[in-house]
Amino acid sequence: MAKSTTIKGILPFSEVNYTKFLGLYNKDLFPPLESIRPNGILLSEAKNVDINDAFKPQRRDGFSLKLSGSYRSLWANNSIILAVDSGNLIRIIPGDTYTKQILRANVGDYNMDFVEVGYSEYVYYSNGVVIGYIKNFISNELPVATITYKKVMPPGHLIELFRGRLYVVVGNLVIYSDGANYNHYDIREDKSFFQFSDRLTMFRSVLDGIWVSDGRIIMFLDGLSPLKMVRKTVADYGAVEGSAVKISGKTVGGVFYDNAVIFRAIRGKGICIGSNSGQFVNLTEDRIITEDAQIGTAIIREGEINQYLSITNG
C-alpha cells in the first residue's frame, strides 16, 4: 500500500486529488508544498509497490526461492550466472531446478569483480587474491608471460575493460594490460600503471572515459588512452564500493542512456548516474537520503519496470 503524508491547516483547499505518484521523499518530515499539486505528489513511504510509467502504483512481483546457499558477488550476462558460494567461484545453472557448478575452488570469501570481454565469449574475474577468466563455462588461470618486460596481470579488487585493455585496480594503483592482450602488462616504469592518493572504490568505463571514485570524490577520466586521460572531479563525495552497475540502452529518470554507470554514493547522497563525456546526475539528492554505507553490491532487475537494486552492509 502506498502511503502519503497529509499536511493539514496550511493548504488553501481541504482535498487533494492524487493523479500521479512521483516517487519517494524522506529528506524532511513533510514533502515540499510544490509537490502537492494536481499533477502529482511525492510519497513518504511505499511498500511492495512499483511506480509505473503512467505514475501509478502497482503491486510488486513476488519472489520464490530457487537455490539456497551463502552467496556473494552475484553477477550475470546473457550467457552465464556467476557467484561466490562458501569461498568457491560457482556457476548457477537455471532451469526447472536450479543447480550450481564449482568453477574454481577456494577463491576466498572476498568480493569478486567481473568484466565481460568479447561479446560474452570471456568473463574475467578477480577479488584481490585470485585472477582468471571463464570461457565455455571453464575457469582458466592467466597464461605465463614469455616475453621480456612482460608479466601476468595481478589480482585486484576491481577489474574493468576499456578500449582493448584490461584494467586491474590494486588499492590505489591502476595497472593496465597491453593493447588487445588482456593477460599481460609491461613492467617497465610508467608503461602500464597510474595511481591515486586513496584506495579506489569504483572503476567503471563508458564509451569515452572511466568513472572513478577514491571514496572521497567522484572523478571522470576523460580520454581513450591511459597515457592521455584527464582527471575531472564531478562530486565532492565518493561511491559505495561494489554498487556500480553498467547500463546500456535504458531510460533513467526520463533520459535515454546508450552507455552509463549507475551507482550509490556515500554519506546518504543517494543514487547517481555517470554517462559519456563526463555527464553526471545525482538522481535522488533532492528527494531521498539513503543509509550511509561503505561497501555493498547492486544489480539491475529487468522486467516491465527496470530497477536498480542496491544492498549495503555498512
Side-chain angles (χ1 to χ4, degrees):
M1 175 183 295
K3 184 177 72 175
S4 62
T5 300
T6 300
I7 304 178
K8 297 181 178 179
I10 58 176
L11 294 177
F13 40 82
S14 60
E15 183 177 323
V16 177
N17 293 320
Y18 295 78
T19 59
K20 291 182 180 180
F21 295 88
L22 305 178
L24 293 176
Y25 181 92
N26 70 354
K27 293 194 70 172
D28 299 300
L29 179 61
F30 300 117
L33 287 178
E34 59 267 22
S35 74
I36 307 176
R37 295 175 177 172
N39 66 337
I41 191 170
L42 293 166
L43 303 173
S44 62
E45 185 179 354
K47 294 182 178 180
N48 296 321
V49 298
D50 294 322
I51 306 299
N52 61 27
D53 291 341
F55 300 99
K56 305 295 184 183
Q58 64 184 46
R59 185 179 297 276
R60 179 174 294 170
D61 292 337
F63 300 89
S64 59
L65 179 65
K66 296 295 184 180
L67 193 65
S68 61
S70 178
Y71 302 111
R72 67 188 307 139
S73 303
L74 182 66
W75 184 93
N77 62 12
N78 293 330
S79 303
I80 194 169
I81 305 172
L82 300 170
V84 174
D85 177 26
S86 302
N88 302 314
L89 176 62
I90 67 165
R91 169 194 174 201
I92 297 175
I93 305 171
D96 294 336
T97 301
Y98 278 53
T99 58
K100 54 188 177 182
Q101 170 193 2
I102 295 179
L103 300 180
R104 184 170 178 177
N106 302 317
V107 298
D109 279 317
Y110 309 98
N111 286 343
M112 188 74 76
D113 203 18
F114 301 93
V115 63
E116 182 178 7
V117 177
Y119 301 101
S120 304
E121 185 178 5
Y122 296 84
V123 176
Y124 277 73
Y125 63 85
S126 189
N127 64 357
V129 177
V130 301
I131 188 171
Y133 69 91
I134 298 164
K135 182 181 180 182
N136 296 328
F137 307 125
I138 297 174
S139 176
N140 303 270
E141 296 188 20
L142 304 190
V144 176
T146 58
I147 302 175
T148 305
Y149 303 123
K150 304 298 181 182
K151 196 171 182 179
V152 176
M153 293 291 286
H157 67 286
L158 299 174
I159 189 170
E160 181 60 305
L161 181 73
F162 181 64
R163 294 288 171 169
R165 298 180 189 270
L166 187 71
Y167 289 73
V168 172
V169 180
V170 185
N172 68 330
L173 185 68
V174 178
I175 300 172
Y176 53 89
S177 75
D178 294 337
N181 178 357
Y182 308 128
N183 301 319
H184 305 135
Y185 70 101
D186 195 317
I187 64 175
R188 288 173 290 185
E189 186 177 3
D190 295 333
K191 289 290 185 180
S192 296
F193 71 90
F194 53 89
Q195 62 188 109
F196 295 82
S197 58
D198 294 285
R199 182 180 186 274
L200 298 189
T201 61
M202 179 175 68
F203 197 87
R204 284 290 181 264
S205 67
V206 288
L207 291 179
D208 57 0
I210 303 174
W211 286 97
V212 177
S213 175
D214 63 359
R216 301 177 301 106
I217 59 176
I218 296 167
M219 295 168 277
F220 182 68
L221 303 187
D222 190 359
L224 305 183
S225 167
L227 298 176
K228 298 180 180 180
M229 290 177 176
V230 177
R231 303 182 186 186
K232 299 179 178 179
T233 300
V234 300
D236 62 355
Y237 45 84
V240 174
E241 184 173 336
S243 71
V245 181
K246 296 169 74 170
I247 61 173
S248 178
K250 298 187 184 300
T251 298
V252 180
V255 178
F256 178 81
Y257 293 93
D258 59 353
N259 201 260
V261 178
I262 186 167
F263 57 92
R264 183 166 168 175
I266 64 171
R267 304 206 313 263
K269 294 294 187 178
I271 309 301
C272 306
I273 190 165
S275 56
N276 299 327
S277 303
Q279 298 298 309
F280 173 81
V281 179
N282 188 314
L283 299 167
T284 61
E285 64 179 342
D286 294 334
R287 299 184 290 108
I288 298 174
I289 299 175
T290 54
E291 293 183 0
D292 193 17
Q294 298 299 318
I295 192 168
T297 190
I299 61 171
I300 298 295
R301 178 181 177 230
E302 295 185 341
E304 180 183 353
I305 300 173
N306 296 322
Q307 296 174 316
Y308 170 79
L309 303 181
S310 171
I311 301 173
T312 60
N313 59 355

